Amino acid sequence: MIVSERETEKGLLVTICDDDVLGETFDSGEISLTVTEEFYGGSTVDEESAADSLARASIANIVGEAAVALAVEEGFIDEANVLEVGRTRHAQLLWM
């Protein structure tokens, strides 16, 4: 998985994506999602490190089968809130 962390005025923004979706565009009806290097690029990490990043996140964008599955398994995302976008899955996290 590829993880990026950025401090914003709203808190820590974490992006996580599967290695194989970086640079891809996914479409599903009215939804189009492009997984750009600029936004999702970062360091390749293991699942434990990705989960640690999500635990510290104020905001997270998660793309890919494995990345979304990890977020659901670790309790950060409810399965009912996961979007199917083309051939991949996408979820967002926002702690208020």
Side-chain angles (χ1 to χ4, degrees), residues 11-50:
L12 181 65
L13 167 64
V14 172
T15 60
I16 301 179
C17 70
D18 293 356
D19 297 0
D20 64 342
V21 301
L22 190 63
E24 298 290 325
T25 296
F26 302 94
D27 291 299
S28 179
E30 295 181 13
I31 300 171
S32 179
L33 173 66
T34 301
V35 187
T36 64
E37 174 75 34
E38 179 180 64
F39 189 69
Y40 286 93
S43 301
T44 301
V45 302
D46 60 19
E47 288 187 357
E48 184 177 343
S49 295

